[in-house]
Amino acid sequence: GVVLALSGFQNPLRGHLRAAAAAMGAEYRPDWTPECTHLVCAFPRTPKAARARQQGGVVVGARWIWECQKRGRRLSCGPYLLDGSASSGSEGEEPEEAPPPPRPSP
């Protein structure tokens, strides 16, 4: 039941995140729409993240995708939520950590 959009990631990382989510059964949308349930975001305070929150979406960091993939199941979003509550704007922020995808086993 996960329908997600991505925000703030450049290729090839964007493609890796999309592929990992799709491999676990999530649906991808190229932009946030009302049918989306999750926004996987590089930065917590962006207009897209604010819109997602206003529309009842869950805003998480890329680590959520990697950890779900690593454990082979959908994990609770709680530890991966980006709440956007810091006092400064996004200028000068570091992006949410997004490690490269794991290498396939030989």
Side-chain angles (χ1 to χ4, degrees), residues 24-37:
M24 292 182 286
E27 291 184 47
Y28 169 76
R29 298 292 180 268
D31 198 6
W32 179 264
T33 66
E35 70 183 348
C36 290
T37 59

Side-chain angles (χ1 to χ4, degrees), residues 19-91:
M24 292 182 286
E27 291 184 47
Y28 169 76
R29 298 292 180 268
D31 198 6
W32 179 264
T33 66
E35 70 183 348
C36 290
T37 59
H38 293 71
L39 179 66
V40 181
C41 217
F43 299 96
R45 292 180 305 283
T46 65
K48 190 183 285 188
R51 189 170 76 231
R53 286 184 195 95
Q54 288 171 347
Q55 295 179 359
V58 177
V59 180
V60 294
R63 286 187 317 123
W64 181 64
I65 298 287
W66 303 136
E67 289 297 317
C68 290
Q69 182 183 47
K70 180 178 168 182
R71 297 185 190 188
R73 62 184 174 89
R74 181 176 169 185
L75 301 174
S76 167
C77 295
Y80 309 98
L81 289 175
L82 300 181
D83 68 5
S85 64
S87 58
S88 64
S90 61
E91 187 174 316

